[in-house]
């Protein structure tokens, strides 16, 4: 059982029902300080379920989470993870609290916690945060905390975070601005024009370049951008299917087109990821 001892994180989370701060009891449960005490237990793997019933059940499936874990553990996205960590070193160098918004199965969160930051990973998928908590336990990372929550309504107090990282997950500028300190930074990783072109060209007859995502911040000032571009060579059908299962194409592709991947044992594909860094302004400025 993982217990939450990290004061930076305990002081930053708030009760999703009444908004009051938490204390922990002797069993490690989180008890809010509101008039009606709301209690949240840790799961056996070590995450806390903060989702209200209406939010429960969304996000990545168990299969997608497993495919993502297997694929990321192969090291194929390590240059992306290293670039995100370099951005944090550069623009948020004093440790502090990083929120991984839409953290998935915790690959990036755990690398960031390993670099000395306190990390709160939030994802709407309970399968994802379950895997993330297990990853943190395997790495003996006491500075990483995971919860199910929507990135549209994070269970975090205003101005608690030194940085928010947002990697291939919904980017919610207003909410991230709210939880960031005034001098905090938002690091967003998103697909560049040629991302996964090799994979797409096997599946589709006509492949188009990716367009910039629509939810990138509009009000925060962009202070840095880096393009991480390289090729990966996949040498087994399992690797190819794992990559495919963690992409949005998995849900959009007909069974006929999916069939093109069966029996395919090697694939070279482009990785093309843009990492953009934004400086927060005071939350009031974008109310
Ligand atoms: C493409 S995955 C990326 C996961 C992780 N950041 C990574 O790159 O490995 C997108 C993640 O966003 C999560 N997600 C989708 N909508 C969400 C929401 N409204 N609130 C929180 N998480 C959400 C999904 O469950 C999924 O884990």
């Amino acid at each position: 059982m993982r217990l939450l001892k990290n004061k930076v994180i305990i002081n930053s989370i708030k009760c999703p029902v009444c908004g009051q701060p938490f204390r922990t009891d002797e069993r490690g449960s989180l008890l809010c300080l509101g008039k009606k005490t709301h209690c949240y237990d840790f799961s056996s793997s070590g995450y806390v379920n903060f989702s209200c019933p209406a939010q429960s059940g969304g996000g990545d499936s168990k299969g997608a989470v497993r495919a993502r874990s297997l694929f990321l553990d192969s090291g194929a996205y390590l240059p992306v993870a290293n670039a995100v960590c370099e951005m944090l070193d550069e623009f948020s160098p004093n440790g502090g609290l990083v929120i991984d918004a839409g953290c998935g199965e915790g690959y990036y969160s755990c690398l960031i916690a390993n670099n000395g930051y306190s990390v709160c990973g939030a994802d709407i998928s309970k399968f994802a945060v379950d895997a993330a908590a297990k990853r943190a336990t395997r790495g003996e990372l006491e500075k990483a905390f995971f919860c199910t929550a929507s990135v549209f309504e994070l269970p975090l107090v205003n101005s608690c975070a030194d940085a928010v990282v947002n990697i291939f997950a919904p980017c919610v500028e207003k909410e991230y601005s709210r939880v960031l300190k005034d001098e905090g930074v938002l690091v967003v990783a998103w697909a560049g024009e040629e991302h996964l072109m090799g994979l797409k060209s096997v599946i589709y007859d006509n492949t188009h370049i990716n367009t910039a995502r629509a939810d990138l911040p509009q009000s925060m000032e962009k202070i840095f951008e880096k393009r991480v571009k390289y090729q990966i060579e996949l040498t087994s059908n399992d690797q190819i299917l794992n990559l495919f299962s963690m992409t949005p194409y998995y849900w959009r592709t007909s069974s006929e087109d999916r069939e093109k991947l069966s029996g395919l044992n090697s694939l070279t594909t482009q990785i093309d990821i843009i990492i953009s860094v934004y400086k927060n302004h005071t939350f009031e400025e974008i109310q």
Side-chain angles (χ1 to χ4, degrees):
M1 166 71 94
R2 301 179 73 235
L3 297 178
L4 182 56
K5 296 184 197 142
N6 184 312
K7 289 274 180 256
V8 174
I9 296 173
I10 295 177
N11 293 338
S12 300
I13 53 180
K14 65 174 187 179
C15 176
V17 177
C18 64
Q20 293 300 308
F22 283 115
R23 69 177 177 85
T24 51
D25 70 6
E26 63 291 344
R27 293 182 310 126
S29 301
L30 295 171
L31 303 178
C32 87
L33 305 181
K35 277 196 186 136
K36 289 186 180 170
T37 307
H38 300 108
C39 175
Y40 294 85
D41 293 329
F42 279 76
S43 72
S44 56
S45 58
Y47 71 88
V48 174
N49 187 346
F50 279 146
S51 301
C52 66
Q55 293 168 336
S56 292
D60 273 7
S61 66
K62 198 171 188 174
V65 168
R66 185 170 158 69
R68 181 177 298 281
S69 278
L70 288 169
F71 190 79
L72 291 174
D73 282 340
S74 75
Y77 276 22
L78 191 58
V80 180
N82 286 340
V84 169
C85 289
E86 278 165 27
M87 303 289 132
L88 289 173
D89 277 352
E90 169 91 26
F91 295 103
S92 191
N94 301 318
L97 178 65
V98 176
I99 312 302
D100 188 354
C103 62
E105 53 71 70
Y107 175 74
Y108 299 94
S109 324
C110 288
L111 285 171
I112 295 166
N114 214 15
N115 282 357
Y117 294 86
S118 298
V119 178
C120 174
D123 198 288
I124 206 158
S125 161
K126 67 176 181 191
F127 304 113
V129 289
D130 181 62
K134 287 175 181 159
R135 189 185 273 286
T137 302
R138 286 197 300 279
E140 298 178 10
L141 293 170
E142 295 209 343
K143 286 182 141 192
F145 166 77
F146 294 98
C147 59
T148 60
S150 169
V151 293
F152 289 86
E153 205 174 346
L154 291 164
L156 294 162
V157 300
N158 293 355
S159 310
C160 61
D162 296 276
V164 172
V165 300
N166 180 232
I167 303 172
F168 305 125
C171 186
V172 190
E173 178 176 14
K174 195 169 171 184
E175 183 63 349
Y176 300 164
S177 179
R178 179 187 72 77
V179 299
L180 277 170
K181 293 176 181 169
D182 287 354
E183 67 281 14
V185 291
L186 168 62
V187 179
V188 188
W190 51 286
E193 287 185 347
E194 292 166 42
H195 189 51
L196 299 182
M197 208 43 124
L199 176 70
K200 283 159 63 177
S201 61
V202 173
I203 308 169
Y204 304 118
D205 295 334
N206 298 310
T207 43
H208 303 284
I209 56 168
N210 301 311
T211 49
R213 51 188 294 171
D215 59 359
L216 288 172
Q218 298 296 314
S219 302
M220 289 187 195
E221 182 194 351
K222 184 159 60 179
I223 52 173
F224 191 76
E225 194 159 81
K226 178 174 181 164
R227 190 168 185 181
V228 182
K229 207 172 156 191
Y230 55 99
Q231 283 199 334
I232 54 170
E233 319 249 333
L234 306 181
T235 53
S236 76
N237 188 249
D238 281 350
Q239 275 187 316
I240 295 167
L241 293 183
N242 285 337
L243 173 61
F244 177 59
S245 309
M246 65 184 244
T247 67
Y249 311 119
Y250 181 80
W251 302 105
R252 296 182 202 151
T253 303
S254 67
S255 51
E256 200 177 40
D257 281 340
R258 280 185 196 192
E259 196 48 39
K260 295 176 187 164
L261 294 176
S262 74
L264 188 69
N265 292 316
S266 70
L267 175 77
T268 301
T269 193
Q270 194 79 32
I271 302 299
D272 179 11
I273 290 168
I274 317 284
I275 303 174
S276 309
V277 183
Y278 297 83
K279 184 163 81 75
N280 196 23
H281 38 188
T282 56
F283 179 54
E284 288 70 26
E285 281 178 55
I286 60 163
Q287 288 293 297

